[in-house]
Amino acid sequence: MPAMVRTIIQLPEEQAAALERAARRRGVSKAALVREALGLLLARESGKPAVERALRAAGSGASGVRDLAERHDDYLADLPRS
């Protein structure tokens, strides 16, 4: 795992509550969800194709999809092409 840098962010109450619920639902930390979301945003802004972004993100966090390892090709095929 790369070195981590502590960053403090402020969220509106609604976002903070939604983040808490999503983290609890997925069984991951709020920090992990923020890193995942930021990674997706930065990848999208880099202009890389969706499949390349998805492959790079594979294994970077808990997806919450129980059959992802077995059906990854099916899920990748469903991604919109950019």
Side-chain angles (χ1 to χ4, degrees):
M1 178 176 269
M4 296 288 181
V5 176
R6 182 176 295 269
T7 302
I8 297 172
I9 61 170
Q10 293 180 314
L11 301 173
E13 287 182 18
E14 302 80 30
Q15 282 186 338
L19 178 62
E20 178 72 36
R21 288 190 302 272
R24 202 173 322 118
R25 193 171 44 250
R26 291 176 59 177
V28 298
S29 69
K30 292 184 287 185
L33 281 182
V34 170
R35 285 191 297 269
E36 181 181 344
L38 181 57
L40 292 171
L41 171 70
L42 295 174
R44 184 175 54 201
E45 288 189 356
S46 74
K48 299 204 181 231
V51 172
E52 186 177 329
R53 290 193 317 264
L55 291 173
R56 196 174 70 240
S60 66
S63 69
V65 179
R66 297 197 185 280
D67 64 349
L68 184 59
E70 295 82 22
R71 296 192 51 220
H72 60 277
D73 287 334
D74 297 332
Y75 291 110
L76 288 174
D78 291 342
L79 289 175
R81 302 283 180 197
S82 50

